[in-house]
Amino acid sequence: QVTLKESGPVLVKPTETLTLTCTVSGFSLSNARMGVSWIRQPPGKALEWLAHIFSNDEKSYSTSLKSRLTISKDTSKSQVVLTMTNMDPVDTATYYCARMDSRGAHFDYWGQGTLVTVSS
Amino acid sequence: QTVVTQEPSFSVSPGGTVTLTCGLSSGSVSTSYYPSWYQQTPGQAPRTLIYSTNTRSSGVPDRFSGSILGNKAALTITGAQADDESDYYCVLYMGSGTVVFGGGTKLTVL
């Protein structure tokens, strides 16, 4: 059974760095067919893709947020970590991690999401 | 910057058919973008409906179908039901792990 679960702070202050962890089970992060993305959704707004990491550790980032994002993984811990620097209230959102199956390049499993609020 | 366009809202009668579309701000959507569609109800994570243009995800009813119509990807719901009332997002794969989400379509069934 494949599951993904996001964890991290509920509240961060402006200018702080956000660190989120996605813990996966039911598959290995070394599976060549699978990668993991981070996606966010501000309240009442659309989904926005942030970053992706492949099994071979290649990474890709949203053009608009690239300077603030870092994605990494620890295969032994089955975890994918996203850091976002210089947080701002507009970054308040539910953050999801999702597995991408390279066969069809789609998200086949999603985490439940974690709401992060940026406020002083 | 690539912008993926979707109708902001759509309405369909119960039992009716509706087609939602997914376009590109410049250019045409083709199967090479591996269009996928996701359904999201308030407070829930998205659910995968369609991938690779027209492949239904496991457990998705066959009243949901995907296609390319003209220069856009399309999601058709045939025989709409009340619980189809949701937000629908399309995603286009741009290569090298990069994807772009559309702005979503809010579907009302009434």
Side-chain angles (χ1 to χ4, degrees):
Chain A
Q1 179 190 1
V2 172
T3 64
L4 299 94
K5 187 175 176 68
E6 305 88 351
S7 59
V10 174
L11 180 67
V12 298
K13 291 181 167 54
T15 75
E16 287 186 341
T17 293
L18 171 68
T19 299
L20 293 173
T21 300
C22 175
T23 303
V24 309
S25 64
F27 73 102
S28 171
L29 294 174
S30 63
N31 185 322
R33 237 179 72 192
M34 304 302 173
V36 173
S37 277
W38 283 94
I39 296 139
R40 71 178 179 178
Q41 185 173 38
K45 296 190 176 181
L47 296 160
E48 177 185 20
W49 176 78
L50 299 176
H52 182 79
I53 190 163
F54 290 89
S55 59
N56 64 0
D57 219 39
E58 283 188 33
K59 306 165 177 90
S60 58
Y61 296 98
S62 162
T63 303
S64 60
L65 292 167
K66 185 173 184 174
S67 63
R68 299 174 54 206
L69 297 173
T70 303
I71 190 170
S72 61
K73 66 181 175 75
D74 185 330
T75 301
S76 65
K77 292 183 178 179
S78 295
Q79 292 180 335
V80 176
V81 175
L82 180 77
T83 62
M84 180 180 289
T85 61
N86 194 24
M87 293 292 284
D88 183 272
V90 300
D91 297 314
T92 293
T94 296
Y95 287 76
Y96 295 97
C97 59
R99 188 179 84 165
M100 180 185 284
D101 186 343
S102 62
R103 192 180 58 183
H106 67 289
F107 300 115
D108 58 355
Y109 289 92
W110 295 71
Q112 64 192 21
T114 184
L115 176 61
V116 178
T117 300
V118 184
S119 175
S120 54
Chain B
Q1 175 142 348
T2 302
V3 176
V4 176
T5 60
Q6 295 185 247
E7 298 87 0
S9 63
F10 230 116
S11 180
V12 63
S13 300
T17 296
V18 62
T19 296
L20 312 181
T21 67
C22 172
L24 277 170
S25 53
S26 59
S28 299
V29 177
S30 68
T31 57
S32 300
Y33 287 97
Y34 296 94
S36 54
W37 292 89
Y38 304 84
Q39 177 190 50
Q40 188 183 36
T41 52
Q44 299 296 314
R47 168 197 179 199
T48 308
L49 294 177
I50 300 285
Y51 63 95
S52 292
T53 306
N54 56 13
T55 302
R56 267 186 301 276
S57 189
S58 177
V60 173
D62 60 7
R63 66 176 185 276
F64 292 92
S65 62
S67 63
I68 299 289
L69 287 181
N71 62 351
K72 296 182 179 182
L75 173 71
T76 300
I77 306 172
T78 305
Q81 300 181 1
D83 61 4
D84 295 336
E85 186 160 294
S86 302
D87 294 327
Y88 292 85
Y89 292 92
C90 78
V91 171
L92 300 182
Y93 184 70
M94 312 308 285
S96 301
T98 301
V99 303
V100 181
F101 280 81
T105 296
K106 184 177 184 64
L107 180 68
T108 302
V109 180
L110 53 72

